[in-house]
Amino acid sequence: MTQNAKPGRPRGARVHRLILDTAIELVFEAGFRAVSIESIAAKTGVAKTTIYRRWPNKAAVVMDGFMDRVGSGTLFPPAEKAMDRVRLQMRAMAKAFRGKDGGLVKALLGEAQFDPELATEFQKRWTLPRRKLGTDVIRDAVRGGELRSDVDPETVIDLLYAPMYYRLQIGIEALSEAYIDGIFDLAMKGLKGG
């Protein structure tokens, strides 16, 4: 225990952090299906009622932990051109997916096929917000003349990101920066404005 730490149960922000970290740790150890509010409570020493006051179910806890761990590092960074933002974001996502967090994404996507609460949380917290951010950046690229005026931003997102998720799920080869740049460059040949 550190010099400033008080004995007894952790409070507030420390409890929140402990619960999130433990939920993700349990997913890594035993898989999403084995995680429960009870197992999180047992491992943290936090009462189930405390957890349920903050989250309605284990899917919400795990998704908060996932978003806290992976979320902000995979947003669209600033860049001079809109499509440069997309390339940089794709590289950041691929880098995150190459590590332990890729295994977490893969596990959550797999389990979402069987757990409707997780499927809803994953879509609501990860997929749809990132898709909205991406389509906004693509629209900026169209307005700026970087992409053809007739491209559909939703289709561009599918074209660029589906190969990443496919390679992650299938696991045939790494999501290298060269692979990401190859996808991006190939797509840009057909999408560029002029």
Side-chain angles (χ1 to χ4, degrees):
M1 181 167 12
T2 63
Q3 188 176 9
N4 295 333
K6 294 184 175 151
R9 293 185 180 170
R11 299 285 179 235
R14 286 182 27 230
V15 168
H16 192 82
R17 167 94 276 123
L18 178 63
I19 293 166
L20 295 181
D21 290 347
T22 300
I24 295 302
E25 183 181 317
L26 288 169
V27 171
F28 282 131
E29 286 174 7
F32 179 80
R33 286 185 201 185
V35 176
S36 64
I37 296 297
E38 291 76 14
S39 66
I40 297 168
K43 190 151 186 170
T44 60
V46 174
K48 289 188 301 185
T49 54
T50 300
I51 298 170
Y52 277 120
R53 267 197 301 270
R54 296 168 189 233
W55 295 278
N57 54 52
K58 74 173 184 178
V61 180
V62 170
M63 278 309 300
D64 268 4
F66 170 72
M67 291 303 296
D68 189 61
R69 185 179 168 95
V70 180
S72 65
T74 60
L75 296 176
F76 290 84
E80 190 172 316
K81 293 184 174 183
M83 290 311 293
D84 290 342
R85 295 183 68 203
V86 173
R87 182 192 297 261
L88 292 171
Q89 192 275 341
M90 287 175 69
R91 286 178 178 173
M93 246 177 89
K95 183 178 180 183
F97 286 3
R98 282 192 299 269
K100 197 172 182 182
D101 294 331
L104 181 57
V105 172
K106 189 174 178 176
L108 294 177
L109 283 171
E111 288 299 329
Q113 306 309 304
F114 307 101
D115 188 303
E117 289 175 341
L118 179 60
T120 298
E121 287 293 324
F122 196 88
Q123 188 175 60
K124 180 175 77 174
R125 303 285 311 283
W126 176 262
T127 308
L128 294 178
R130 271 165 179 63
R131 192 169 183 89
K132 166 101 174 64
L133 289 170
T135 55
D136 288 347
V137 174
I138 299 299
R139 284 185 183 93
D140 289 344
V142 170
R143 281 191 291 275
E146 295 176 58
L147 299 179
R148 295 187 342 239
S149 61
D150 65 336
V151 300
D152 172 39
E154 298 282 341
T155 303
V156 174
I157 293 298
D158 293 341
L159 179 67
L160 292 172
Y161 290 89
M164 293 175 67
Y165 283 97
Y166 174 79
R167 186 165 274 200
L168 174 69
Q169 286 295 105
I170 301 302
I172 51 173
E173 288 187 43
L175 283 164
S176 67
E177 195 167 291
Y179 175 73
I180 296 304
D181 286 346
I183 292 169
F184 184 87
D185 292 340
L186 190 59
M188 289 302 291
K189 285 181 182 177
L191 297 171
K192 278 197 175 180

